[in-house]
Amino acid sequence: MRLSNLLRIAWRAIIRNKMRTLLTMLGIIIGVAAVIAMTAIGQGSKQSIEGQIKTMGSNMIMIVPLSNVQGGVRLDNSSVQSLDENDITALQKQPVYINAVSPVVSVKGQVINGANNWSTTIQGVYPDFLFIRSWPLKDGVAFTNRDVKSAAKVCLVGLTVIANLFPDGEDVIGKSIRFKNIPFKIIGVLSKKGDNSFGQDQDDMILTPVTTVQKRILATTYYQYIYASAIDEKSTDSASAEVEQVLRKSHRLTASNENDFTVRTQAQLVSMLTSTSSILTILLTVIAGISLVVGGIGIMNIMYVSVTERTKEIGLRMSLGARGRDILMQFLIEAILISITGGLIGIIIGITSTKAVTLFLHWPTAVSESSVLLSFLVCFITGVFFGYYPALKASKLDPIEALRYE
Amino acid sequence: MDSVIVDIKNLKREFKIGEETVKALNDVSFTIKTGEFITIMGSSGSGKTTLLNILGCLEKPTQGQYLLDGTDVSKLSKNELARLRNKKLGFVFQSYNLLARTSAIENVELPLLYNNEFSASERKEKAIKALEAVKLKDRMYHLPSQLSGGQQQRVAIARALINDPVMILADEATGNLDSRTSYEIMELIQELNDVHGKTIVFVTHEPDIALFSKRTITLKDGKILKDAINTNIGNAKAVLEKLPAPEEFSTTTA
Ligand SMILES: Nc1ncnc2c1ncn2[C@@H]1O[C@H](COP(=O)(O)OP(=O)(O)OP(=O)(O)O)[C@@H](O)[C@H]1O
Ligand SMILES: [Mg+2]
């Protein structure tokens, strides 16, 4: 029997029971729409996280002292004392894959300008910090290595801090602000950076020479982090290995000692942050997949009903010369047509709702072609799989008994 | 035109229901020549339908031989039987068996759907011709529910004709119809036999219907009771003309 004939017969059977067919399709429609929307939202958030992390400087490497356990007390980062100036010196000695290094020491507190005050973070860094974070100045100039040497009381200020301390919008360069009773002269304004991937406002920040924080505020010689940057994106892994090697040497760790610091590259950070969202995507996709299976069972059920209902028709067709194979194909194609039509409707609804999510909730989304293709394929397979047994039952009917069926 | 189309020897058909065995056909033998018009008579349960189903290759005999057009049917596979029915046989059932919610023309086309030799346009052309032969061309796009019983049976006859069968098998094709409509159907059947030379096997238990055939086989308890040539064949057309014409009934005579 020709495929065109089979398709026509199946199509008529479907439109003859429009409501029933639609209800049967519902499981498939919901399943496919959910798969498309879920993967689009998952993909979108992953891409946006990747994009945000890129803005932190794609070649950036972060060195964090290991919060080792001492006497059962887990110490917080700022009191862990494994990174100091020796490490910086070691890293700067003969760098191969590293082209910039900066320590970070941060302290939280109140900054005051006259009657205005604002609680923020002061980070002590090197001038190279701006390069590592690819963070240009909006205004003014950066402090220099000489300022670092002299622990100069100068600072670069983020936009959020300015907005709170200078609500009138006046020119801030050259103005003085006080932090813990120390006056800092504003010499530059940081350009807007926005929220980081953890949702923190990166513009709520003041940068000063690292020595200023160490000597004038905290009275410490240690660093909380060291940031470095690799010479290019491809070299981040080599750079990370280099950092590890240099620091192990400068910390005099023997082969049996474990690292007392961790080195993280951007790539690792990306995979860390996206892993939760991909787990969520997988989970939701599994749920959507289950609803596809349920939809398939619905199709199977309705096909059994249809075969029973049309037993007499099957007998007639057989007596007029339809072979078992023709009947099998007729019902199989009907099942496939139901599932594929459901799938197409699901794809349309999935894409539309994805667009709606972007439009109204402003969530980033990205409909992937592969998810559309995959759902279509899964629908086809669902139709074949769940349609086969009812169709087989139909094809095995005895023409005489089927004709006699009431 | 007297080549043998059906050759049946010692045919038996038994049904086992639990312990009991029903002998629906018990040692039946006869031959049918091309162009014959045979009615099969007999009381209810005598095995008429069973015999017709075997002739139509819908059922296999328990024992005995059946040669259709020289082919031993018992040696054919299910698919070959389907092909045989599709190409050589035409069925007319008591309850019409038209597909509901499907137009007359599409019902008529049905057998050709299972024959790849015909394209959609050829199919339609043949269906129109067949509907013309049963004088229903003007009802081509009517649904079965929009046709009278007699008209539905004529659509079924058109369906049995579309594949140019060598033999038409009808099981109580007039069983659900009033006598006037029955005569109209018989007129059509006679025309198919006389003019188109179709071999016809017609099961009925109405003696006045059997009168229109050329030969009558009477069954009793699965055996042939009588196999007689009709010497006085009735003419359905003539009988119809003699009937008082009822108002608002359009006759089928051309
Ligand atoms: N599928 C079946 N299973 C069991 N017994 C059957 C079956 N088909 C027919 N029979 C039996 O075979 C016998 C002949 O049945 P058949 O249908 O051929 O009779 P018939 O002459 O056509 O009767 P009617 O005029 O009432 O249609 C009956 O006794 C019937 O009970
Ligand atoms: Mg019967």
Side-chain angles (χ1 to χ4, degrees):
Chain A
M1 195 170 183
R2 292 181 190 190
L3 188 66
S4 58
N5 293 344
L6 283 166
L7 279 173
R8 199 168 44 212
I9 292 174
W11 184 246
R12 313 203 121 216
I14 286 173
I15 56 172
R16 202 168 284 162
N17 280 309
K18 284 192 202 77
M19 196 60 193
R20 185 165 94 182
T21 310
L22 193 73
L23 289 173
T24 311
M25 283 177 187
L26 216 54
I28 299 276
I29 293 175
I30 293 170
V32 168
V35 168
I36 303 258
M38 289 311 153
T39 50
I41 291 168
Q43 202 62 33
S45 77
K46 194 170 158 184
Q47 281 177 11
S48 94
I49 288 172
E50 280 168 2
Q52 280 174 351
I53 284 172
K54 281 259 166 66
T55 68
M56 287 169 72
S58 58
N59 307 337
M60 194 179 92
I61 294 168
M62 218 176 147
I63 303 140
V64 188
L66 209 63
S67 40
N68 49 344
V69 178
Q70 289 183 350
V73 182
R74 209 184 149 90
L75 300 168
D76 114 76
N77 267 355
S78 55
S79 50
V80 178
Q81 308 178 332
S82 70
L83 298 176
D84 58 21
E85 203 175 348
N86 293 332
D87 297 320
I88 298 282
T89 318
L91 286 169
Q92 283 173 332
K93 207 170 181 183
Q94 275 178 324
V96 184
Y97 296 107
I98 303 165
N99 60 4
V101 184
S102 167
V104 177
V105 179
S106 70
V107 56
K108 281 197 163 91
Q110 205 83 8
V111 272
I112 302 163
N113 170 44
N116 300 313
N117 64 74
W118 180 245
S119 172
T120 186
T121 310
I122 290 200
Q123 290 200 337
V125 295
Y126 277 5
D128 268 351
F129 181 83
L130 295 176
F131 167 78
I132 295 168
R133 296 283 320 267
S134 5
W135 201 348
L137 289 179
K138 183 173 171 270
D139 214 352
V141 289
F143 51 80
T144 60
N145 284 326
R146 190 181 298 163
D147 292 326
V148 174
K149 272 216 180 75
S150 64
K153 292 179 276 186
V154 292
C155 68
L156 309 172
V157 196
L159 288 172
T160 306
V161 178
I162 290 174
N164 286 286
L165 291 184
F166 300 92
D168 303 332
E170 66 249 56
D171 188 13
V172 299
I173 303 289
K175 294 264 165 61
S176 233
I177 51 173
R178 301 177 75 82
F179 184 85
K180 305 229 162 149
N181 272 329
I182 304 160
F184 285 87
K185 188 178 159 203
I186 299 174
I187 58 167
V189 178
L190 294 163
S191 60
K192 189 171 173 58
K193 196 83 168 168
D195 290 354
N196 70 9
S197 24
F198 305 98
Q200 290 163 335
D201 180 7
Q202 299 179 90
D203 298 315
D204 188 4
M205 163 99 57
I206 296 172
L207 298 179
T208 68
V210 64
T211 44
T212 313
V213 176
Q214 278 187 312
K215 290 175 181 161
R216 295 182 195 277
I217 303 175
L218 288 178
T220 174
T221 56
Y222 298 104
Y223 303 136
Q224 279 155 7
Y225 316 101
I226 294 176
Y227 284 3
S229 101
I231 46 172
D232 55 36
E233 210 176 330
K234 291 192 303 275
S235 310
T236 48
D237 285 338
S238 315
S240 149
E242 183 186 352
V243 166
E244 188 175 342
Q245 200 195 345
V246 169
L247 290 188
R248 281 185 72 84
K249 209 168 144 201
S250 100
H251 290 187
R252 295 193 182 81
L253 298 175
T254 60
S256 61
N257 290 125
E258 282 186 31
N259 288 350
D260 55 357
F261 57 90
T262 31
V263 184
R264 277 203 204 110
T265 64
Q266 284 298 336
Q268 288 167 332
L269 212 61
V270 168
S271 70
M272 220 174 70
L273 284 170
T274 53
S275 71
T276 41
S277 90
S278 14
I279 287 170
L280 208 69
T281 308
I282 290 169
L283 216 77
L284 292 169
T285 311
V286 165
I287 292 170
I290 290 171
S291 85
L292 266 181
V293 170
V294 173
I297 293 170
I299 290 183
M300 194 170 191
N301 181 32
I302 220 67
M303 289 313 292
Y304 269 123
V305 170
S306 179
V307 167
T308 310
E309 237 177 34
R310 284 150 70 191
T311 300
K312 207 165 172 142
E313 173 190 328
I314 295 164
L316 175 73
R317 287 180 186 276
M318 284 178 157
S319 70
L320 297 181
R323 294 162 301 175
R325 202 193 314 164
D326 296 322
I327 301 295
L328 181 96
M329 286 307 282
Q330 176 186 336
F331 283 90
L332 197 57
I333 283 182
E334 192 177 321
I336 293 170
L337 216 57
I338 291 176
S339 65
I340 280 183
T341 313
L344 284 178
I345 297 173
I347 287 170
I348 292 167
I349 292 178
I351 292 176
T352 331
S353 53
T354 302
K355 295 258 182 291
V357 159
T358 310
L359 197 66
F360 296 114
L361 300 177
H362 305 290
W363 289 6
T365 56
V367 175
S368 64
E369 273 166 44
S370 64
S371 76
V372 172
L373 223 70
L374 193 77
S375 348
F376 194 76
L377 205 73
V378 166
C379 283
F380 183 81
I381 293 168
T382 305
V384 173
F385 186 81
F386 290 102
Y388 185 75
Y389 285 97
L392 192 69
K393 183 190 166 195
S395 73
K396 292 248 169 88
L397 287 175
D398 178 70
I400 279 296
E401 275 166 33
L403 258 179
R404 220 179 262 148
Y405 185 87
E406 288 304 331
Chain B
M1 283 237 311
D2 58 355
S3 60
V4 172
I5 187 166
V6 169
D7 187 358
I8 277 176
K9 276 201 191 85
N10 308 111
L11 209 67
K12 285 187 183 168
R13 180 68 169 106
E14 293 169 358
F15 293 103
K16 279 204 176 72
I17 294 172
E19 299 279 284
E20 252 179 282
T21 311
V22 178
K23 290 187 175 173
L25 290 177
N26 190 6
D27 202 13
V28 171
S29 306
F30 63 90
T31 58
I32 301 175
K33 293 192 192 101
T34 307
E36 278 199 276
F37 178 5
I38 299 181
T39 43
I40 297 176
M41 298 266 297
S43 55
S44 188
S46 55
K48 305 184 294 292
T49 298
T50 308
L51 178 59
L52 201 77
N53 286 343
I54 290 174
L55 287 179
C57 305
L58 286 166
E59 214 166 317
K60 283 197 171 182
T62 318
Q63 243 183 58
Q65 193 192 47
Y66 172 26
L67 298 180
L68 173 62
D69 227 2
T71 318
D72 187 347
V73 169
S74 64
K75 295 211 167 67
L76 299 181
S77 70
K78 263 182 137 180
N79 284 349
E80 285 167 327
L81 287 176
R83 199 174 158 74
L84 195 71
R85 290 196 294 271
N86 188 244
K87 297 206 150 173
K88 294 200 170 172
L89 301 175
F91 290 93
V92 184
F93 305 93
Q94 177 172 359
S95 49
Y96 326 131
N97 283 351
L98 299 179
L99 292 184
R101 285 169 285 183
T102 306
S103 67
I105 184 159
E106 279 176 293
N107 264 295
V108 173
E109 279 180 5
L110 205 54
L112 295 192
L113 278 183
Y114 298 101
N115 187 338
N116 284 343
E117 286 161 27
F118 295 95
S119 68
S121 58
E122 287 170 315
R123 216 156 54 214
K124 186 159 182 188
E125 202 178 299
K126 293 200 93 184
I128 292 174
K129 259 192 202 143
L131 280 169
E132 237 165 11
V134 300
K135 292 150 193 112
L136 272 181
K137 200 187 162 199
D138 52 337
R139 303 286 156 91
M140 199 144 78
Y141 296 109
H142 284 224
L143 303 179
S145 57
Q146 298 164 336
L147 294 169
S148 73
Q151 287 169 334
Q152 288 186 55
Q153 194 60 298
R154 271 149 60 199
V155 172
I157 291 171
R159 183 178 63 194
L161 282 177
I162 193 169
N163 56 345
D164 277 320
V166 292
M167 182 160 71
I168 292 176
L169 303 165
D171 192 355
E172 314 218 19
T174 57
N176 287 0
L177 304 172
D178 62 37
S179 55
R180 164 172 272 276
T181 320
S182 298
Y183 293 146
E184 282 168 8
I185 296 294
M186 289 323 288
E187 182 196 358
L188 199 59
I189 300 278
Q190 278 193 324
E191 188 185 317
L192 290 176
N193 179 244
D194 288 340
V195 182
H196 303 281
K198 300 282 175 220
T199 309
I200 288 163
V201 181
F202 198 104
V203 166
T204 182
H205 47 224
E206 295 161 74
D208 59 330
I209 294 292
L211 274 182
F212 299 118
S213 70
K214 295 175 178 167
R215 173 181 164 195
T216 303
I217 294 176
T218 312
L219 293 179
K220 193 182 182 221
D221 299 333
K223 285 182 190 289
I224 295 183
L225 182 73
K226 209 168 83 183
D227 184 349
I229 303 289
N230 279 353
T231 44
N232 189 15
I233 302 169
N235 184 321
K237 194 174 177 181
V239 172
L240 259 178
E241 275 161 8
K242 263 186 262 165
L243 282 180
E247 325 88 79
E248 39 86 52
F249 195 95
S250 70
T251 66
T252 53
T253 43

